[in-house]
């Protein structure tokens, strides 16, 4: 089964509406579209709606960075998945910054996955162990728990819309600047597919895209994309520069050609 590559920019809490619009404009002008690569940007919630009017979704798709799992109600300050329906194609769920700074636990993450699918958005589920869990030899268990709690109540059909981002917390630029070795990433990607196979069987596991995130840059992305079973990258800091992000997409194309 051919899995389309997936390269996403997580712009985090950067860029106001005007800046995000300029970024999109510059990126669209620079980017060469490739049929085999899906390019996605995740701007702030305030920018996503105006950008949805400017964007050519055949070239670049939009992802939201967060939403609340109830469709409507008295939840001051929240924006629901249903409000993003038709605006965002994807949504990042379970990012370590949300798990750590906003105390999002696995049960909330599972509800968000359901809400995204209910509202026709593809969840980009982030999973990853922290440095202590890794040192103590618990990395695989942590990943398996995160996957099982977030994904075990879905239909096979729903599973086809899931993208899993393996993002070891210690390799994300926010929390440290350690570089994950491609060999380690490969082991964890294999573990993720093993767990999906356990839950849904091999056919589903082969259809789910698994990408890598954590200090990905133009000069190291090829080493991750060359990993068998790695279907793309979730890029934070390096995506803020549209030229650098464009190079990452180009590098993905080069790896596919080689
Ligand atoms: P980084 O962020 O590329 O800056 O490490 C990745 C992420 O947080 O998704």
């Amino acid at each position: 089964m051919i899995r389309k590559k997936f390269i996403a920019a997580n712009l985090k809490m950067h860029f106001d509406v005007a800046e995000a619009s300029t970024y999109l404009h510059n990126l669209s002008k620079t980017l060469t579209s490739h049929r085999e690569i899906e390019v996605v940007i995740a701007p702030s919630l305030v920018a996503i709606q105006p950008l949805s009017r400017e964007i050519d979704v055949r070239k670049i798709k939009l992802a939201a960075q967060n939403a609340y799992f109830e469709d409507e109600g008295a939840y001051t300050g929240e924006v629901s998945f249903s409000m993003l329906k038709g605006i965002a194609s994807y949504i990042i769920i379970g990012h370590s910054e949300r798990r750590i700074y906003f105390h999002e636990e696995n049960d909330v993450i599972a509800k968000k996955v359901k809400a995204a699918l209910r509202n026709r958005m593809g969840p980009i589920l982030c999973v990853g162990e922290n440095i202590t869990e890794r040192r103590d030899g618990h990395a695989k268990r942590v990943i398996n728990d995160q996957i099982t709690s977030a994904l075990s109540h879905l239909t096979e059909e729903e599973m086809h819309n899931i993208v899993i981002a393996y993002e070891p917390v210690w390799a994300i630029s926010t929390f440290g600047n350690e570089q994950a070795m491609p060999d380690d990433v490969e082991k964890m990607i294999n573990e993720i597919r093993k767990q999906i196979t356990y839950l849904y069987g091999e056919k589903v596991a082969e259809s789910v895209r698994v990408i890598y995130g954590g200090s990905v840059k133009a000069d190291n992305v090829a080493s991750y994309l060359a990993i068998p079973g790695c279907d793309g990258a979730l890029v934070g800091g390096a995506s803020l520069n549209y030229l650098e992000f464009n190079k990452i997409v180009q590098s993905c194309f080069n790896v596919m050609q080689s």
Side-chain angles (χ1 to χ4, degrees):
M1 128 117 16
I2 308 278
R3 299 183 299 264
K4 203 170 183 174
K5 296 284 180 215
F6 190 92
I7 305 287
N10 178 6
L11 301 177
K12 305 195 179 182
M13 203 173 72
H14 296 285
F15 299 162
D16 61 21
V17 176
E19 289 164 340
S21 171
T22 304
Y23 175 89
L24 173 63
H25 178 77
N26 288 336
L27 183 64
S28 308
K29 253 190 358 200
T30 328
L31 196 76
T32 311
S33 294
H34 302 291
R35 240 182 321 131
E36 311 81 350
I37 307 174
E38 207 170 351
V39 178
V40 177
I41 62 169
S44 71
L45 265 183
V46 78
I48 198 164
Q49 201 266 346
L51 257 56
S52 71
R53 299 215 193 113
E54 300 169 20
I55 208 159
D56 178 354
V57 289
R58 288 165 306 180
K59 203 166 181 185
I60 303 173
K61 295 200 174 80
L62 285 171
Q65 294 178 24
N66 184 37
Y68 190 60
F69 55 78
E70 296 289 355
D71 283 343
E72 63 175 350
Y75 301 102
T76 302
E78 293 298 314
V79 169
S80 70
F81 285 78
S82 62
M83 291 169 179
L84 290 165
K85 192 170 172 175
I87 294 175
S89 305
Y90 292 96
I91 178 146
I92 300 171
I93 299 176
H95 191 278
S96 53
E97 286 153 17
R98 296 217 57 89
R99 291 182 193 259
I100 294 167
Y101 298 146
F102 302 99
H103 314 291
E104 281 188 18
E105 304 284 350
N106 286 338
D107 57 334
V108 167
I109 290 164
K111 288 182 185 163
K112 289 190 173 192
V113 168
K114 272 280 183 202
L117 293 165
R118 190 168 69 236
N119 289 290
R120 300 211 181 85
M121 269 168 264
I124 304 169
L125 175 72
C126 300
V127 298
E129 78 287 358
N130 66 31
I131 193 68
T132 320
E133 290 159 344
R134 184 167 193 84
R135 284 195 189 126
D136 294 347
H138 298 319
K140 288 185 178 173
R141 183 179 51 73
V142 170
I143 301 294
N144 287 343
D145 285 353
Q146 290 174 343
I147 288 178
T148 306
S149 57
L151 303 180
S152 62
H153 300 105
L154 306 183
T155 63
E156 286 190 12
E157 196 57 35
E158 287 175 324
M159 278 302 291
H160 294 306
N161 297 312
I162 304 284
V163 176
I164 300 177
Y166 171 56
E167 296 209 310
V169 178
W170 46 273
I172 294 182
S173 61
T174 319
F175 301 109
N177 225 347
E178 269 190 70
Q179 197 75 46
M181 291 294 120
D183 279 358
D184 285 336
V185 174
E186 181 170 2
K187 278 186 203 135
M188 297 307 282
I189 286 179
N190 288 341
E191 186 64 26
I192 288 169
R193 282 231 164 73
K194 215 168 98 190
Q195 188 63 8
I196 304 288
T197 305
Y198 172 74
L199 294 170
Y200 290 100
E202 212 167 304
K203 199 160 149 248
V204 172
E206 279 307 306
S207 75
V208 170
R209 287 180 288 182
V210 183
I211 64 175
Y212 171 72
S215 302
V216 170
K217 299 183 180 64
D219 62 8
N220 66 16
V221 67
S223 65
Y224 297 116
L225 295 174
I227 297 170
C230 180
D231 302 312
L234 179 55
V235 189
S239 71
L240 294 175
N241 179 323
Y242 72 93
L243 291 171
E244 173 94 3
F245 186 61
N246 182 46
K247 277 191 205 160
I248 290 172
V249 175
Q250 196 51 45
S251 186
C252 179
F253 184 67
N254 295 343
V255 171
M256 290 170 74
Q257 299 306 299
S258 61

